Amino acid sequence: MLKKANIAVLVSGGGTNLEALLKAQEEGRIPHGQIVLVCASNETAYALTRAANHGVPGVAIPRKQMSQEAFETTLSLKLAEYKIDVIILAGFLSILSESFVRQWPDRILNVHPSLIPSFCGKGMYGLKVHEAALAKGVKVTGATVHLVNEIPDGGRILLQKAVDILPGDTAETLQCRVMEQAEWVLLPQAAEMLCEQISES
């Protein structure tokens, strides 16, 4: 019997990356892991509806209504309750504290919508990343899945995939193409890589 690593996905908004992970799981592309919990940093996140549609428990921990310490304490209790092995940040907009991250060495994955080390770090998220790439005039961008450490977007890179920037691209069209061609492809692959390491250790 294959021992599966328990995955929690942390989200803040619509949950398109979560949807990609849930579909990958249902198609058997994450055989060493199973998503058992979705945590949203606000109670109106559509990602919670996506989780429910796939039969996965979802919980809201409203970040804006509590201190960082209280938020992370509440989150830690939920992760313990569900016996979580791996945390995946999928459009999660809160930066986790150093003390929290250190409790999960090489167990937290993040997807970032650029080819790190370009257009990354504190304050670089969502459309801002794509706006920066277009302003710089680069011809190629992409996405990166990396392990999370105490430095924003500073952890070890697991996977990267390049995406061409096309004439006439806006930040919105580029964001969609990077998600479809890179983020949704890489995230399930990286999840399986990490879960396989854990289940065999």
Side-chain angles (χ1 to χ4, degrees):
M1 181 71 183
L2 182 67
K3 182 187 177 296
K4 295 193 175 202
N6 286 338
I7 302 169
V9 184
L10 273 53
V11 295
S12 293
T16 50
N17 282 329
L18 168 66
E19 186 76 30
L21 284 164
L22 290 165
K23 284 182 175 169
Q25 176 173 278
E26 289 164 3
E27 291 165 6
R29 289 187 280 129
I30 313 176
H32 289 87
Q34 55 187 356
I35 299 165
V36 298
L37 178 65
V38 173
C39 291
S41 60
N42 68 79
E43 54 275 296
T44 59
Y46 184 68
L48 292 171
T49 303
R50 292 184 191 271
N53 290 343
H54 289 268
V56 175
V59 61
I61 308 173
R63 172 68 185 91
K64 288 181 179 169
Q65 296 170 24
M66 55 181 79
S67 68
Q68 178 97 5
E69 189 177 353
F71 173 78
E72 291 181 352
T73 299
T74 307
L75 176 59
S76 293
L77 289 169
K78 274 288 164 201
L79 297 174
E81 181 186 336
Y82 283 84
K83 298 182 171 61
I84 296 303
D85 300 300
V86 172
I87 299 170
I88 298 177
L89 309 181
F92 183 68
L93 298 181
S94 296
I95 290 182
L96 297 164
S97 70
E98 286 186 32
S99 60
F100 181 91
V101 170
R102 285 199 183 115
Q103 293 167 36
W104 294 85
D106 294 343
R107 294 294 180 100
I108 308 177
L109 285 179
N110 182 48
V111 62
H112 183 76
S114 77
L115 296 174
I116 291 175
S118 298
F119 314 116
C120 66
K122 195 169 183 182
M124 291 297 276
Y125 60 87
L127 281 175
K128 292 180 184 179
V129 179
H130 305 294
E131 287 164 355
L134 291 171
K136 195 76 173 174
V138 295
K139 303 302 178 208
V140 176
T141 186
T144 303
V145 180
H146 64 94
L147 294 168
V148 174
N149 64 10
E150 64 277 7
I151 302 161
D153 299 325
R156 181 164 60 87
I157 291 170
L158 296 183
L159 294 169
Q160 288 186 309
K161 190 170 191 293
V163 174
D164 288 333
I165 294 178
L166 303 179
D169 260 337
T170 64
E172 288 79 9
T173 61
L174 188 55
Q175 181 181 48
C176 288
R177 200 160 61 257
V178 168
M179 281 197 294
E180 290 170 7
Q181 293 183 12
E183 292 179 49
W184 299 348
V185 175
L186 296 182
L187 204 46
Q189 289 177 0
E192 171 57 17
M193 278 172 63
L194 190 54
C195 290
E196 185 175 15
Q197 285 175 13
I198 290 165
S199 64
E200 290 179 350
S201 62

